[in-house]
Amino acid sequence: MTGTIVNTAAVLLGSLLGILLHSRLPERMTKLAFQAIGLFTLYLGVSMAWKTNNLLVLIFALVTGAILGELTGIEKAVIRLGDWLKSVSRSSNARFTEGLVTAFLLWCMGSMTILGAMEEGIHGDPSLLYAKSILMGLLP
């Protein structure tokens, strides 16, 4: 449970810091930070996939998830929510919804979130959620 609490706090704090500091950072620094974290996430995903005992289950889960996501129209629903939040916040940023959807998928529904919660719940190991929390703190 501590990993979930730490992760939630990191998402909230990181989001607040991102709102406050992002516009003050050089674009090059932001781009480099995203690339480094993307590379780490890719490494983590590949290393975890490599450890699996049954690649067919992994492939089946990915395909099933993609098909269910498409059938339920979850992407369209999240975009509608983003557009609604944009109108409520009166944002003039043309990429508001895109940023919101990206942030939601990355930090709230990403593989590290789901696998981290499962690891902590099944094995009592919050380390993946802690790693995700550190990543959240590093992104501008």
Side-chain angles (χ1 to χ4, degrees):
M1 181 76 160
T2 57
T4 302
I5 293 168
V6 168
N7 182 56
T8 302
V11 168
L12 294 172
L13 182 63
S15 298
L16 182 61
L17 287 174
I19 290 168
L20 296 173
L21 300 177
H22 180 74
S23 62
R24 295 184 177 119
L25 293 174
E27 185 178 336
R28 181 168 158 76
M29 295 286 278
T30 303
K31 186 176 179 180
L32 285 172
F34 271 98
Q35 288 173 346
I37 290 171
L39 185 60
F40 172 77
T41 304
L42 182 63
Y43 161 76
L44 188 62
V46 169
S47 69
M48 290 178 79
W50 196 263
K51 291 178 188 175
T52 187
N53 293 328
N54 194 341
L55 286 176
L56 290 177
V57 171
L58 179 63
I59 293 168
F60 181 73
L62 289 170
V63 171
T64 302
I67 290 170
L68 286 174
E70 187 64 31
L71 289 175
T72 59
I74 196 165
E75 182 180 5
K76 292 175 185 172
V78 172
I79 290 172
R80 278 195 311 272
L81 174 65
D83 289 340
W84 178 78
L85 287 172
K86 180 180 178 180
S87 68
V88 168
S89 67
R90 297 186 175 121
S91 174
S92 60
N93 189 331
R95 297 182 65 195
F96 179 91
T97 301
E98 178 186 344
L100 183 72
V101 170
T102 301
F104 175 75
L105 292 175
L106 198 66
W107 300 116
C108 300
M109 291 301 296
S111 57
M112 288 182 79
T113 305
I114 294 168
L115 291 175
M118 290 174 66
E119 280 291 314
E120 185 175 19
I122 294 170
H123 302 293
D125 180 11
S127 59
L128 193 55
L129 286 174
Y130 290 157
K132 181 185 167 296
S133 299
I134 291 170
L135 292 176
M136 183 65 201
L138 293 176
L139 279 179

